[in-house]
Amino acid sequence: MIDRSVPRRVLPAPEPRGVATLPAALPVRPRTGRLLVLATVFVCAACGLVYELELLALGSYLIGDSVTQASVVLSVMVFAMGVGSLLAKRLRNRPAVGFAAIEAGLALLGGLSAMALYASFAWLGGSRPALVAFSFAIGVLIGAEIPLLMVLIQRIRRQDAGGAVADLFAADYVGALVGGLAFPFLLLPVLGQLTGAMLTGTVNAVVGGGLVLWLFRRDLSRRSRWLLIIANVTVLSALACATVLADDFERVARRAVYGAEVRVAEQTGVQELVLTGPATGSPRSLDLFLDGRLRVSGYDEYRYHEALVHPAMTGPHSRVLVLGGGDGLAAREVLRYRDVTSVTVVELDPGVVRLARTDPMLSALNGRVYEDPRLGVVTQDAFRWLRGPGGREGFDVIVSDLPDPGITPSTKLYSQEFYGLAARALHPGGRIAVHAGPLATRPRTYWTVEATLRAAGLHTAPYSAGGRLSGFAAGPDRSPGTAETPPQDWGFVLAGRERVPELRVDPGTPGLRSLSTQSLRDAERDAERTRVAGLPPSTLPHPRYS
């Protein structure tokens, strides 16, 4: 596979000295042999792009900040592909043997890369060095493919260099298209990251080794033939053993990351859900992780959800919209008000909703809110839903219980355009409460959220909630045991359409354990002391969070 990011002009080059120019002795007609080489280019390109996407997905999942990880993986791989192309010059005297050896190495490295990265994260506490190393090694091998295939296809039938390059590039690009579509729509949802990578490696080894050992077998010495057979059998055996052990490996690695009490672990079409804690007993022992980030801790989640929901409920609150919050915990706080007539929860991942409905511990923690007839659920992207008819229904209160703005996929949900849609969905006098990330440790991100709300025409009241006892957050906190220190507070912004809303709780607010009007006023005063002035708003074409 080749670098597709920058189109470049390819000039015909003279035949290098030392490269065999005699036609290959093939077991098939030259036309058929040429088609087999192009088919191999197609398959190898598809496999190469799957390896690349696998590294991108794992880098984003294990390390966070998908833009940075994508930049690291792509830039390292493109550089390494150039290095591989140069190194391939040393193999052009024996192109068949060189190509088969490269495909065996690529199948082994690419097939086991996902398992190696996950092991590095689970037992070493980080995976960035392994990500860079695999990106470089795989890139070198991918870069060496095309020069050797160019020599092989010219040995089948001589043609002008421009025509040969055009044929190879066409097969390469089409293969990349197939691999790029197969990864998100077939391999990832059906097989998962580990097994999908190993199956790709198996295909890579079979096709690359099969082409040389059959089509170009007369170019091989007896010793070379047996070495290639042994190498490919070894690679396929290693991938087969790893595939058989993949489930056991995942369980052991997951315990190393999340602890011994992993009770539910599933990969939805959106993210990985992991629920830890016993199946019976107190819900305080429950932890819910989404893509490796601690999203809910039964130990202190009430502090977060009380501070998020109840300040927004002072005033009319008959119709409430919860953006995110598929775990049902924000809806639990809303439904404590008997005069609430309807709550609409807009959650992207139906797997979270299903878990909140059916898991005995999580449903006990959320008060079985999904059994309440006042609650309705929409499984859709919040931005898209607000742009549609649902965003014109009109609500008294909007609760934005969304992932942290520090997570790249969430950036659009903290943009000026998003808050403009949310403001349009509010009744006159309506209020919106937004989780804005930890104030103490990331003040610039927090005040960018506040500036973005103001840019959307809303009037803001900033505050935070302390007493954070666990690593629970809606943000990019890593799981326990990693080197990153979780923040110690939650930051919020309460905003109104027509005026700055007053930060208070009504005297009759039911069941509060950590919140009072005085604590909110103190939190507002403390937040103002940290204000970062002059920050521009975050927009879709110019996101400001990092």
Side-chain angles (χ1 to χ4, degrees):
M1 193 180 71
I2 57 173
D3 172 18
R4 300 169 181 81
S5 58
V6 181
R8 60 190 63 187
R9 187 180 177 194
V10 180
L11 297 176
E15 188 73 34
R17 287 184 296 178
V19 177
T21 58
L22 294 176
L26 303 178
V28 295
R29 291 182 300 175
R31 180 181 179 84
T32 303
R34 183 172 172 277
L35 290 175
L36 289 173
V37 171
L38 293 177
T40 301
V41 174
F42 170 87
V43 173
C44 291
C47 294
L49 198 62
V50 169
Y51 300 144
E52 185 175 330
L53 294 174
E54 190 74 46
L55 293 172
L56 289 173
L58 277 170
S60 176
Y61 166 49
L62 299 178
I63 304 173
D65 188 3
S66 58
V67 171
T68 299
Q69 307 320 317
S71 300
V72 168
V73 170
L74 291 175
S75 57
V76 170
M77 287 194 78
V78 169
F79 167 74
M81 287 160 67
V83 173
S85 295
L86 291 175
L87 295 177
K89 293 168 65 176
R90 299 178 177 271
L91 301 174
R92 287 185 298 172
N93 286 329
R94 303 185 68 189
V97 173
F99 178 74
I102 285 170
E103 292 309 299
L106 187 56
L108 185 64
L109 281 177
L112 298 180
S113 60
M115 183 175 284
L117 288 175
Y118 197 19
S120 174
F121 176 76
W123 285 288
L124 300 180
S127 54
R128 181 171 279 117
L131 178 68
V132 173
F134 273 98
S135 298
F136 182 82
I138 292 174
V140 167
L141 295 174
I142 290 175
E145 289 177 328
I146 288 295
L148 296 178
L149 286 166
M150 180 71 174
V151 176
L152 290 176
I153 203 168
Q154 289 285 58
R155 291 210 55 216
I156 294 174
R157 189 180 69 186
R158 292 287 298 168
Q159 64 182 114
D160 67 282
V165 168
D167 291 341
L168 288 172
F169 278 21
D172 188 85
Y173 287 135
V174 176
L177 172 65
V178 173
L181 295 177
F183 177 74
F185 296 113
L186 178 62
L187 295 177
L188 189 59
V190 176
L191 299 176
Q193 292 174 319
L194 302 187
T195 306
M198 288 182 281
L199 176 63
T200 304
T202 301
V203 172
N204 203 162
V206 170
V207 172
L211 176 80
V212 171
L213 290 170
W214 180 68
L215 188 63
F216 293 99
R217 63 181 181 268
R218 296 174 186 172
D219 285 2
L220 306 176
S221 66
R222 181 182 179 84
R223 181 172 178 272
S224 297
R225 187 180 303 115
W226 278 107
L227 286 176
L228 290 178
I229 291 173
I230 292 171
N232 279 276
V233 169
T234 302
V235 169
L236 292 174
S237 299
L239 293 174
C241 291
T243 302
V244 171
L245 297 174
D247 290 341
D248 292 335
F249 169 83
E250 281 194 72
R251 282 192 290 269
V252 174
R254 198 174 280 124
R255 290 193 188 100
V257 175
Y258 300 110
E261 293 187 320
V262 175
R263 186 159 49 82
V264 176
E266 64 174 283
Q267 179 72 49
T268 70
V270 178
Q271 59 199 339
E272 183 189 53
L273 308 181
V274 174
L275 195 63
T276 68
T280 59
S282 171
R284 287 172 61 88
S285 59
L286 175 145
D287 286 329
L288 173 63
F289 295 84
L290 304 181
D291 270 352
R293 300 174 178 91
L294 183 58
R295 182 65 175 84
V296 170
S297 171
Y299 194 53
D300 62 356
E301 58 78 21
Y302 68 91
R303 295 177 180 270
Y304 169 88
H305 290 103
E306 287 185 358
L308 173 65
V309 171
H310 293 288
M313 300 295 285
T314 55
H317 50 245
S318 177
R319 303 189 74 245
V320 179
L321 171 65
V322 178
L323 301 174
D327 50 46
L329 299 171
R332 175 198 66 195
E333 298 299 320
V334 172
L335 290 170
R336 288 180 175 176
Y337 294 82
R338 296 185 180 275
D339 51 348
V340 169
T341 60
S342 71
V343 179
T344 301
V345 174
V346 180
E347 166 63 50
L348 176 63
D349 191 352
V352 175
V353 176
R354 183 177 63 255
L355 193 64
R357 288 180 188 270
T358 59
D359 183 79
M361 292 286 279
L362 186 54
S363 62
L365 191 63
N366 64 34
R368 295 177 174 81
V369 293
Y370 286 104
E371 298 175 6
D372 194 310
R374 295 176 291 172
L375 180 65
V377 182
V378 178
T379 53
Q380 191 175 347
D381 175 74
F383 199 107
R384 180 180 298 178
W385 188 84
L386 284 174
R387 291 185 69 185
R392 298 179 178 85
E393 294 178 5
F395 296 91
D396 300 308
V397 175
I398 296 177
V399 177
S400 182
D401 186 18
L402 294 164
D404 192 277
I407 304 173
T408 304
S410 301
T411 300
K412 72 174 183 179
L413 304 179
Y414 288 84
S415 65
Q416 181 178 341
E417 294 86 348
F418 180 77
Y419 291 134
L421 294 173
R424 185 184 67 177
L426 284 172
H427 282 146
R431 300 157 308 285
I432 176 172
V434 176
H435 164 251
L439 176 57
T441 55
R442 289 193 288 142
R444 190 175 185 87
T445 295
Y446 174 88
W447 288 109
T448 298
V449 174
E450 192 267 349
T452 304
L453 283 161
R454 285 190 287 107
L458 295 164
H459 305 272
T460 60
Y463 66 105
S464 65
R468 193 170 185 162
L469 304 175
S470 72
F472 158 59
D477 299 336
R478 307 313 303 172
S479 53
T482 63
E484 298 184 29
T485 301
Q488 301 302 309
D489 70 343
W490 296 283
F492 305 97
V493 180
L494 181 64
R497 275 190 61 175
E498 298 168 346
R499 61 182 181 275
V500 177
E502 182 183 359
L503 276 173
R504 62 183 177 87
V505 291
D506 289 335
T509 301
L512 294 183
R513 292 181 280 174
S514 64
L515 200 65
S516 68
T517 297
Q518 186 59 48
S519 68
L520 284 172
R521 290 174 178 170
D522 292 342
E524 182 180 22
R525 185 172 58 253
D526 293 341
E528 286 291 350
R529 294 194 184 105
T530 71
R531 179 178 286 275
V532 180
L535 293 175
S538 181
T539 63
L540 291 178
H542 197 159
R544 305 281 181 174
Y545 306 108
S546 60

